Amino acid sequence: MTEVIMPKMGDGMEEGTLLEWLKKEGDAVKTGDVIGTIQTDKATLELESPGSGVLSGVLLKEGGTVPVGVPIAAILSSGEKLPGGWGGGSEKQAAPAKPAAQTASSAPAAESVSAAKSPPETNGAPPASSGRVKASPLAKKIASEKGIDLSTIKGSGPGGRIVEKDLMSAPAGAPAGAPAGAPAAAPAAAPAAVADREQPLGRLRQITAKRTAESKQQVPHFYVTVEVDVEQIARFRQIFADEESGKVSINDFVVKACAAALREMPEVNATFKGQSVILHGAVNIGMAVAVPDGLTVAVIKNADALTLRQIAASSKDLAAKAKDNKLSIDELSDSTFSISNMGMLDVDEFVAIVNQPNAGILAIASARKRAVVDEQGNIVVRTRMNITGSFDHRVVDGAIGARFMNVVRSYLEAPSRLLS
């Protein structure tokens, strides 16, 4: 017998949540087959079978959370039995593997999750599938919100599983319970009061809530804001566009500037450890990325050693992976400083919460045309933006935080220094 345990996927992982079983009890599996999906405190990852045989003795239901190392199921070879008392129950004989023809046929009614939850068939609407539709939890959520019939979608994930990107071009259907093509109801003369409703937090949102609350409770934050002239950056970006040498965003310049400043001021590239401070040798920049279920932080490793174009390529790749929920543990771990960018959301200024165990995070606001007074006393129009550093006062003193922000500004206002 081979135990399926909650794996440890990263140094900081203490527990995991089973989002979905992709194989069910009694199914034949091989070593390396993806049998489920797990949500950690950083990402959603695939659970692979540790052996070949029949999936048996499932102990953890979908949505359940257990510590790492705890058995959640077993893989039995032919003729093997589960040990007495496994999971609090009696012995179970390993079920024979299902023939391919049977596996391909429609699943029993009790397991036809999508069919059971589909709205009744209406005139003009496609009939619901009687088989089990394989789809990621996020894809199911999007389909439910948009009224999309998953049985009509062809999946591009492992084993034909439907994932988020498969739904991007799918037309939205009628809301649940409404016939397709039905005319909209006439508005009521007086709108009825809308009742409160409770919406459960997704796993990623729960983790975000827990970690941000801990940071604000444990870390003595202080904030420093400076205004940056980004006219030179705008010119360089236009040059890159004219040369068709690849797009480079303001965010890419900020990542490079922060990496250079951290190398210049290693006391900010640090972590508080109670009776000591760890000064990190690597400069790894974490980028906050908004995803449908919440927020995640993708990490650009050794950013100080990368060129501006390499940072641009890495940023684009990591952001795409984050939105497709395909970031690896390595791409989510070991940040030494973080950046949160709301520039695309039309904001003048904001402060970010320190992403522990980092000692600092930089918040980027929108770049705007502003009337400013130049060195000759003339009023001129310049492109400016506010950047705000949030710092852990246990590691970074006020003067050091202010100096760091001015070093970052100096790099951004003379971006040619970042091109080497």
Side-chain angles (χ1 to χ4, degrees):
M1 181 184 82
T2 303
E3 287 186 337
V4 181
I5 64 171
M6 178 60 69
K8 186 176 181 65
M9 299 177 174
D11 293 339
M13 180 177 171
E14 297 179 354
E15 63 181 18
T17 298
L18 178 75
L19 291 181
E20 183 181 23
W21 283 112
L22 301 179
K23 298 288 187 179
K24 56 184 178 293
E25 192 158 350
D27 281 353
V29 297
K30 295 179 180 179
T31 301
D33 283 355
V34 178
I35 60 177
T37 54
I38 291 173
Q39 175 77 62
T40 73
D41 63 342
K42 295 181 180 292
T44 302
L45 304 165
E46 294 178 339
L47 173 64
E48 296 184 355
S49 174
S52 299
V54 177
L55 181 64
S56 307
V58 173
L59 301 177
L60 186 62
K61 295 181 179 179
E62 294 180 349
T65 300
V66 296
V68 297
V70 171
I72 60 176
I75 307 294
L76 300 182
S77 300
S78 179
E80 282 189 321
K81 295 181 179 180
L82 290 168
W86 172 266
S90 58
E91 286 189 351
K92 295 184 180 180
Q93 179 72 35
K98 295 181 180 180
Q102 181 180 349
T103 303
S105 64
S106 60
E111 293 169 353
S112 299
V113 178
S114 298
K117 293 185 179 180
S118 298
E121 182 182 343
T122 57
N123 291 335
S129 170
S130 61
R132 182 177 186 272
V133 177
K134 294 195 297 182
S136 70
L138 178 56
K140 290 178 180 178
K141 178 182 176 183
I142 294 173
S144 175
E145 292 173 348
K146 294 186 175 181
I148 298 172
D149 183 0
L150 287 175
S151 66
T152 66
I153 305 299
K154 183 177 180 180
S156 62
R161 188 167 181 244
I162 300 170
V163 294
E164 177 192 8
K165 66 179 181 180
D166 298 325
L167 303 179
M168 293 300 98
S169 59
V194 179
D196 295 343
R197 61 190 181 92
E198 184 174 351
Q199 180 172 318
L201 293 180
R203 177 64 178 165
L204 187 56
R205 178 58 59 193
Q206 292 178 33
I207 292 167
T208 301
K210 178 175 181 289
R211 296 189 66 177
T212 51
E214 288 175 349
S215 180
K216 288 296 286 185
Q217 291 165 1
Q218 298 170 6
V219 175
H221 286 61
F222 76 92
Y223 313 98
V224 180
T225 301
V226 298
E227 187 179 66
V228 180
D229 188 302
V230 292
E231 282 287 329
Q232 291 295 328
I233 289 179
R235 290 172 186 167
F236 275 109
R237 293 183 66 206
Q238 187 60 52
I239 290 172
F240 294 154
D242 292 343
E243 293 177 349
E244 298 183 350
S245 56
K247 291 184 178 180
V248 178
S249 69
I250 290 179
N251 191 79
D252 300 326
F253 278 93
V254 175
V255 171
K256 182 65 175 175
C258 285
L262 289 167
R263 184 55 70 200
E264 189 172 325
M265 297 184 63
E267 60 268 41
V268 181
N269 194 48
T271 294
F272 180 72
K273 295 295 288 185
Q275 300 301 314
S276 64
V277 172
I278 304 297
L279 302 178
H280 298 291
V283 176
N284 301 330
I285 306 293
M287 298 189 311
V289 182
V291 294
D293 286 346
L295 192 69
T296 191
V297 178
V299 183
I300 302 176
K301 298 293 180 69
N302 301 307
D304 59 319
L306 300 179
T307 66
L308 196 57
R309 285 186 176 85
Q310 286 174 329
I311 288 174
S314 181
S315 298
K316 183 178 180 181
D317 178 60
L318 290 172
K321 285 184 177 181
K323 290 174 182 177
D324 286 341
N325 202 22
K326 292 183 178 179
L327 289 170
S328 67
I329 285 294
D330 183 63
E331 292 167 331
L332 289 160
S333 304
D334 302 325
S335 67
T336 60
F337 187 85
S338 299
I339 292 174
S340 179
N341 189 348
M342 288 192 187
M344 70 296 294
L345 299 177
D346 193 22
V347 297
D348 293 325
E349 182 181 326
F350 74 102
V351 296
I353 298 173
V354 170
N355 178 38
Q356 294 192 85
N358 300 170
I361 183 171
L362 190 79
I364 309 171
S366 303
R368 305 185 188 283
K369 293 288 186 181
R370 298 176 185 171
V372 298
V373 179
D374 65 14
E375 294 179 355
Q376 288 74 40
N378 301 314
I379 296 177
V380 296
V381 177
R382 305 283 292 182
T383 304
R384 300 285 186 105
M385 72 178 185
N386 290 323
I387 58 174
T388 300
S390 303
F391 300 99
D392 182 344
H393 214 320
R394 299 171 301 178
V395 179
V396 180
D397 291 333
I400 294 174
R403 181 182 160 216
F404 176 81
M405 294 299 294
N406 279 286
V407 171
V408 172
R409 173 166 57 186
S410 70
Y411 279 112
L412 292 175
E413 292 187 345
S416 60
R417 298 166 61 196
L418 302 174
L419 300 181
S420 57

